[in-house]
Amino acid sequence: MDSLQFIGQVHSSLKNINDCPLQEFEGAPEASIHINKEYLSAISGLKTGSKIIILTWLHKGNRTTLTTKPRNNPNAKKTGVFATRSPDRPNPIGLHEAEITAITDDGRISVSNLEVLDGTPVIDIKIAL
Amino acid sequence: MDSLQFIGQVHSSLKNINDCPLQEFEGAPEASIHINKEYLSAISGLKTGSKIIILTWLHKGNRTTLTTKPRNNPNAKKTGVFATRSPDRPNPIGLHEAEITAITDDGRISVSNLEVLDGTPVIDIKIAL
């Protein structure tokens, strides 16, 4: 077992869980990531237009859930969470592909297509391959 | 801050770090994931041919590294780790797309294209979209 470092957090107009689309392609608001000061040097090289992968910590996820009905459909068969994209899972890590639409020197990164709640911790950013 | 649960581990012929290809497309051995017993129910619904995303915990990564020279090229410019795929980063999470080539009831999942060291902890599996 190991502990995570939160490298920043999401600022978004999505203030509660019922505002969230179920999948990214269903439309998400513009959102931004605010990088914590101590990690600022780790974003050098990112720029407007960069395609990135963002890993978030979906802190509202239920970590004891092992099976679920996909997309909350009561008629669906129970499925293991590892065969889904449910935020309820042992390690509730969100995976998001996005493009940087603006970035400032003090670590505010605006991105397209990030559909998580305001205040969600960010745990990693990687350049997309 | 929050702590991770290791849901399984990778078994691979890659026994030390010099065996590892720098990027997935450079060729990786067949490898398997052994799911820990307490998480077995979470893999129901996964089957041979399923395309999945595997998140690993790259336990040999240096968590204090914030800038790096991409691909260990001494002539490259120092770049923030969030603009790279380096395993050295505050949360050394590996991201891998793979296809299941075999799966057993006791949680052994053989996959194509997983280039991490033998013994690497697995922290999440998601179905690919």
Side-chain angles (χ1 to χ4, degrees), chain B residues 35 38 71 80 107:
Chain B
I35 299 291
E38 60 268 43
R71 298 183 65 106

Side-chain angles (χ1 to χ4, degrees), chain A residues 11-24:
Chain A
H11 288 237
S12 168
S13 57
L14 296 175
K15 301 298 184 193
N16 74 70
I17 218 150
N18 295 322
D19 296 336
C20 290
L22 284 170
Q23 298 290 351
E24 294 181 45

